[in-house]
Amino acid sequence: MSKIHAAITAVNGYVPDYILTNQELETMVETNDEWITTRTGIKERRILKGEGKATSDMAVPAVEGLLRKRGISAEEIDLIIFCTSTPDMPFPATANILADKIGAINAWGFDLQAACSGFIYGLTTGAQFIESGKHKKVLVVGGDKMSSIINYEDRATCIIFGDGCGVVLLEPNTEGLGVLDAILKSDGSGKEYLNIKAGGSLMPASHETVDQKLHYAFQEGKTVFKFAVTNMANVAAEIMERNQLTSEDVNWLVPHQANKRIIDATAERMGLGPEKVMINIQKYGNTTSGTIPLCLWEWENQLKKGDILILAAFGGGFTWGSVYLKWAY
């Protein structure tokens, strides 16, 4: 019997309508379009507006669109892995909320939190359930409402992040297509440089924590940038070496969209020209768990069966990793 791999058989995405431009940010914090663009590559980002709107509200249209494309019903889904740093609430899991909203009555699910590396952690995790033979249809969702945890008076973070959600369907494949290898890493000493200090068991919410704005994302940009440039590039190169892949073999780099300079450094380390790199950071900014599936969604019509993709990400934790997969359709 041929080995079972977990193949992506459908992809879809959703971004909110509201566009937050660099020009609008100029009216909120001391910054300007040129400064943001040269340092990050970001021109605009999407923001989920409206009372009572949460991360799951972006996942619902993304998943419903995927189910229509694949021609299947929500009842056929076995498992939902929801990769997010901005769950609707601490519990229940946003995966369970999503399952209820879409009518996935036969699915179990859980949330996976690995900051910006969430989607590749979730993709690798979902692949194990397919490879085991126990599951036939696994949804891996990557979505974040980053605007809910950003202080729009903090120039270090508000220029970077946006809201969005992408989703892929994993199904068994015996043609040698799908997720073929992954390298995942973490280093908890990075917690000092990228975090949300309050709201957990260490520092529960109080009047004081709210007053001190400790429920917003904090980032020490220079340190995070240095770690990200080195580690994201290294792990992408490592997965190529481990699988005897040359730059000619690789059709696409699908990088986490945190900073254009980090993406460029990763591509350069892999020996890839810009024509082989998926980039949409200029439109959406950093949607955390959403960036990689949103890239796959936007480039879907350019992907061919058998294309070799290298996914790479770096995030808070620190977390980072790379996935080698062959496109299945």
Side-chain angles (χ1 to χ4, degrees), residues 95-112:
N96 303 151
I97 295 169
L98 174 64
D100 179 56
K101 285 183 173 182
I102 63 171
I105 54 173
N106 297 308
W108 66 285
F110 58 91
D111 290 358
L112 191 154

Side-chain angles (χ1 to χ4, degrees), residues 74-115:
E75 288 93 341
E76 293 176 62
I77 301 301
D78 302 316
L79 167 62
I80 298 173
I81 302 175
F82 205 127
C83 313
T84 186
S85 297
T86 55
D88 286 19
M89 48 185 80
F91 69 86
T94 309
N96 303 151
I97 295 169
L98 174 64
D100 179 56
K101 285 183 173 182
I102 63 171
I105 54 173
N106 297 308
W108 66 285
F110 58 91
D111 290 358
L112 191 154
Q113 208 282 70

Side-chain angles (χ1 to χ4, degrees), residues 298-319:
E298 290 212 304
W299 265 262
E300 182 187 19
N301 63 358
Q302 293 186 52
L303 295 171
K304 299 186 296 296
K305 186 174 180 176
D307 275 1
I308 289 175
L309 280 60
I310 302 291
L311 283 49
F314 182 91
F318 290 133
T319 58

Side-chain angles (χ1 to χ4, degrees), residues 35-99:
W35 192 90
I36 297 171
T37 306
T38 54
R39 279 161 183 78
T40 67
I42 301 167
K43 283 287 188 186
E44 52 192 48
R45 61 295 286 145
R46 300 299 181 98
I47 304 294
L48 184 63
K49 296 274 192 179
E51 202 63 41
K53 294 287 187 186
T55 300
S56 68
D57 292 301
M58 295 186 290
V60 169
V63 172
E64 287 178 343
L66 178 142
L67 296 174
R68 281 194 300 275
K69 280 163 86 170
R70 187 72 184 107
I72 61 171
S73 70
E75 288 93 341
E76 293 176 62
I77 301 301
D78 302 316
L79 167 62
I80 298 173
I81 302 175
F82 205 127
C83 313
T84 186
S85 297
T86 55
D88 286 19
M89 48 185 80
F91 69 86
T94 309
N96 303 151
I97 295 169
L98 174 64

